[in-house]
Amino acid sequence: MTEQVLEHMTKAQQHLVNQSMSYMGGLYIDDAKLIQSYENAGELDSRGSAHYALGLLLRNHDGDVHRAEHVIRSVLALQYDAPDEIYHGTFRTRPDVTDPPRGNYNWKEFAPGTAYFLERTFEKVSAEFMDELWSDESILNKSAERKHVKRLFQSAMDQVLPPVWKSYDPNWREFIACAFAVILSEFSHRLPQQLIEQMEYAMKLAVAASMDRRESDVIPMNTNIELMHIFITHFYGHRFNDADWIAHSDQQAERMLNEFMVYESFAEFNSTTYYGVDLTVLRMWRRYGSAARFVEIGRIVEVGLWNNIALFYNANLENLSGPFARAYDMEMTAHSSVGMFIYLLLGEEYMHLADVNCEVEHGPLIALVGVDAPIEVIPFLKEHQGNRLVQKQFIELCERNEPTSNRNLCTAKAWIGEKRMIGAMSGSRNTNGQMFPATIHWQSDQGHRYDLRLTRREVGESWNTHLRGITFEADLTENSLMIEVSLETADEIDIYFEIRGSFIGKDNIQDHQWSLPSLLCAVTAEAPAPSVLIYPDYAEIIYRYVPGVTSNKMKFDLKFQ
């Protein structure tokens, strides 16, 4: 592989590297030889540290290679080597986490969907347990007590069976294996042979465990993880001359392409959060792929992804319209690396789209892999291409549902106007809180940007959880948004609209009219009377569902002026 140095990169590539390294350097803790997390101040971060090591080797200033060696060793020390456990081969997210329980879960002996069945079994047992306690008023007589006992029951379960996402993150295999693949491809000549051998040993553990996960389907892979999984089995399969890994990656790449081409869309559809990862990994397919067909599949899918981005993009608002199958934030610059790619593509005028956010650690990797968007999408990224109604179908993955019924055909609609975008989704049965089925983005006459999204949460909890029994059906016109909500759950649920932006006060929000900056919204709601919470930079309009007290159906009709 031709050596790349920072001085030979374009100005935009250098900016991504320098910005990222400056920020990560400030997070570096010398005693631990790791960087801290961007999102969780004070916590060390193994994944971010792997990206930092890559950036150090790329930058290659005095002392950088020496520090990179230490960081890589610290990351390697965090890998689980427990062949019989479901978390084998992944990495601790940070050094101070408690190890998951061992010896109680023979997961390889179970059928696909084990994680789903365990979760559903816990939910059923927990519900019966709560009902028994609730029937005895001397034991439980308040909702808060019921919730507390449920948490204790969950905690007891977690001491026996390793809870995915809470006690370990299986995706750290793919993330760190991708970072190490680039390090081994580009900078092996800068590392001691002994360290390279240690990295290769760790990658054999990680990739083999990733294969077990994929083939068992015990924990389904969302799109960004699927793309990384296919890449690492291909890359390390060729590096280690493992015919089984190569055959697996070839088969999985063809399968992924066939699924994509049905509607030319991913299951993880219309997400600035995950599209940035997807673009990065597809560039890795093309740069580090060892077979012509593999590289070509990467090119085909990358072109299709850029076409989807252009379809839902508004150059005036510098954002993708909703709805979002999975996302964290509504603003592209808040939790996404897509802006880095647009900056590399369009130049200095778009540097602000690549400003620091929680994806800043990907800067060196994105600078290395570069950008290659089809020429036909560039006008959509530069200027608003006229008001339009767009519609796209995709087959979602419900990762917590039964394997035989975890794929659904969904329709995403969007109105892309000059200063306003509306998004609506129908057909989804996803339990994921990162799905936002009804959205609005707009810009005020003064140039301020706002957004609105509909979501849900168990009372007192966060939106970013899986909840069963709640479905949304949404539709739109250029001036309206219609939503139906169905709730089949024993839990109290907040269905709420979250509005972000400045100059929003309680007086702006009445039951039947929301008077927002440059947006007047007439509201017809078949739902309980709302409560309104105002925070410094956002507001919540909350409609609470109480089982047995309020209707399990809600309808909202929003008309905009």
Side-chain angles (χ1 to χ4, degrees):
M1 180 68 64
T2 301
E3 179 178 355
Q4 288 207 30
V5 294
L6 190 61
E7 292 75 13
H8 294 160
M9 288 183 163
T10 67
K11 185 177 180 180
Q13 288 171 308
Q14 290 181 20
H15 172 73
L16 292 184
V17 175
N18 291 330
Q19 174 179 259
S20 176
M21 295 306 294
S22 175
Y23 195 86
M24 288 195 288
L27 297 175
Y28 180 69
I29 304 298
D30 189 58
D31 288 346
K33 303 296 188 285
L34 296 166
I35 68 168
Q36 298 177 80
S37 167
Y38 174 97
E39 296 181 277
N40 301 305
E43 291 186 0
L44 298 170
D45 178 9
S46 57
R47 181 180 67 174
S49 297
H51 289 118
Y52 182 51
L54 171 61
L56 289 167
L57 292 166
L58 167 61
R59 187 175 64 179
N60 197 27
H61 288 178
D62 288 345
D64 279 353
V65 172
H66 182 66
R67 177 176 286 190
E69 292 175 21
H70 283 298
V71 171
I72 292 169
R73 290 190 179 96
S74 293
V75 173
L76 290 172
L78 296 176
Q79 188 177 35
Y80 291 110
D81 190 351
D84 294 330
E85 302 297 338
I86 195 169
Y87 49 84
H88 174 60
T90 194
F91 294 77
R92 296 168 181 85
T93 56
R94 61 182 197 272
D96 61 339
V97 296
T98 301
D99 283 356
R102 295 187 179 216
N104 303 316
Y105 183 21
N106 296 324
W107 66 279
K108 291 184 181 180
E109 298 180 11
F110 296 97
T114 301
Y116 159 76
F117 288 111
L118 284 174
E119 181 180 285
R120 292 297 287 137
T121 299
F122 163 76
E123 290 173 350
K124 292 175 182 177
V125 173
S126 177
E128 292 292 336
F129 182 60
M130 292 297 103
D131 287 343
E132 291 290 332
L133 290 177
W134 191 257
S135 66
D136 186 341
E137 293 185 1
S138 66
I139 300 176
L140 286 182
N141 54 27
K142 293 181 181 179
S143 177
E145 291 177 350
R146 181 185 177 103
K147 187 174 290 188
H148 178 65
V149 172
K150 183 178 179 180
R151 289 197 183 102
L152 291 176
F153 190 82
Q154 177 71 68
S155 177
M157 290 282 291
D158 292 347
Q159 303 308 308
V160 178
L161 299 175
V164 65
W165 315 120
K166 289 195 289 185
S167 68
Y168 70 98
D169 193 322
N171 296 342
W172 256 231
R173 298 183 188 106
E174 286 76 22
F175 277 110
I176 291 175
C178 281
F180 280 10
V182 180
I183 289 173
L184 291 170
S185 290
E186 301 280 1
F187 305 114
S188 288
H189 60 285
R190 293 183 178 166
L191 297 174
Q193 183 60 33
Q194 182 184 39
L195 182 56
I196 291 173
E197 291 172 1
Q198 292 171 340
M199 293 173 70
E200 290 181 332
Y201 175 78
M203 292 302 94
K204 289 176 180 177
L205 299 186
V207 177
S210 182
M211 288 266 291
D212 285 344
R213 173 188 175 184
R214 182 64 170 173
E215 291 178 339
S216 69
D217 201 29
V218 65
I219 303 172
M221 293 179 173
N222 283 302
T223 301
N224 73 102
I225 306 303
E226 178 187 11
L227 290 172
M228 284 189 277
H229 166 78
I230 298 170
F231 172 76
I232 64 174
T233 52
H234 173 90
F235 177 86
Y236 292 105
H238 282 275
R239 184 174 183 89
F240 302 140
N241 197 28
D242 190 309
D244 290 340
W245 290 7
I246 294 170
H248 173 86
S249 67
D250 289 345
Q251 183 268 331
Q252 291 290 309
E254 295 289 351
R255 170 183 164 181
M256 185 275 300
L257 175 63
N258 291 335
E259 291 183 355
F260 179 82
M261 294 306 294
V262 173
Y263 297 103
E264 295 191 5
S265 56
F266 285 142
E268 209 165 46
F269 182 73
N270 201 38
S271 168
T272 55
T273 300
Y274 298 106
Y275 275 0
V277 181
D278 298 340
L279 287 171
T280 304
V281 180
L282 289 169
R283 294 299 304 152
M284 293 169 67
W285 280 43
R286 297 183 63 186
R287 180 174 178 84
Y288 304 111
S290 297
R293 177 58 179 168
F294 187 83
V295 172
E296 175 62 9
I297 291 174
R299 186 196 66 80
I300 293 169
V301 176
E302 184 182 18
V303 168
L305 177 54
W306 273 113
N307 287 334
N308 282 334
I309 290 171
L311 185 65
F312 282 80
Y313 191 77
N314 186 319
N316 289 344
L317 299 181
E318 297 180 317
N319 210 349
L320 284 176
S321 173
F324 303 115
R326 289 188 73 221
Y328 283 97
D329 291 287
M330 294 279 282
E331 283 294 327
M332 189 180 73
T333 54
H335 199 132
S336 173
S337 57
V338 173
M340 296 187 198
F341 285 95
I342 295 177
Y343 166 51
L344 287 182
L345 187 66
L346 301 183
E348 295 301 301
E349 186 179 346
Y350 298 85
M351 182 188 292
H352 60 285
L353 297 180
D355 284 349
V356 170
N357 64 36
C358 63
E359 301 293 316
V360 65
E361 69 190 50
H362 295 126
L365 176 54
I366 291 171
L368 274 168
V369 298
V371 64
D372 182 22
I375 192 169
E376 61 268 20
V377 311
I378 292 177
F380 287 86
L381 303 176
K382 284 187 171 182
E383 295 180 355
H384 181 57
Q385 296 298 299
N387 297 347
R388 61 193 188 273
L389 178 67
V390 301
Q391 178 173 307
K392 193 78 174 176
Q393 291 186 301
F394 65 98
I395 300 175
E396 71 176 357
L397 169 66
C398 300
E399 57 186 297
R400 301 289 179 94
N401 284 13
E402 186 176 355
T404 57
S405 58
N406 66 358
R407 307 300 294 266
N408 303 295
L409 178 61
C410 305
T411 300
K413 285 185 179 180
W415 170 256
I416 315 292
E418 185 177 0
K419 291 186 177 181
R420 184 167 69 211
M421 303 188 293
I422 309 171
M425 187 187 302
S426 61
S428 174
R429 296 297 177 264
N430 217 315
T431 63
N432 196 327
Q434 294 181 25
M435 182 193 74
F436 298 106
T439 64
I440 312 169
H441 295 81
W442 77 97
Q443 183 170 291
S444 72
D445 296 335
Q446 292 73 36
H448 301 291
R449 292 175 181 172
Y450 298 83
D451 58 68
L452 174 152
R453 65 186 182 185
L454 178 65
T455 186
R456 84 295 176 273
R457 65 188 172 213
E458 188 177 349
V459 172
E461 305 295 336
S462 163
W463 56 263
N464 193 17
T465 59
H466 284 264
L467 295 177
R468 298 188 186 280
I470 307 170
T471 59
F472 300 89
E473 296 291 335
D475 203 352
L476 58 78
T477 71
E478 63 180 281
N479 292 310
S480 64
L481 183 56
M482 298 78 71
I483 309 143
E484 295 183 2
V485 186
S486 176
L487 300 110
E488 301 292 342
T489 174
D491 297 317
E492 292 188 12
I493 300 293
D494 285 340
I495 301 296
Y496 66 102
F497 294 91
E498 179 187 274
I499 307 172
R500 289 195 172 268
S502 55
F503 311 111
I504 297 175
K506 211 161 191 175
D507 292 342
N508 297 107
I509 300 170
Q510 306 300 321
D511 285 359
H512 302 293
Q513 182 171 285
W514 304 338
S515 301
L516 306 172
S518 301
L519 183 71
L520 185 63
C521 178
V523 182
T524 301
E526 296 179 22
S531 59
V532 179
L533 297 178
I534 302 294
Y535 299 92
D537 57 351
Y538 69 99
E540 294 179 350
I541 306 169
I542 305 164
Y543 300 83
R544 180 160 295 178
Y545 167 68
V546 180
V549 177
T550 62
S551 171
N552 68 341
K553 306 288 184 183
M554 298 186 193
K555 290 185 179 181
F556 303 95
D557 190 348
L558 311 182
K559 289 184 166 47
F560 312 113
Q561 297 180 22

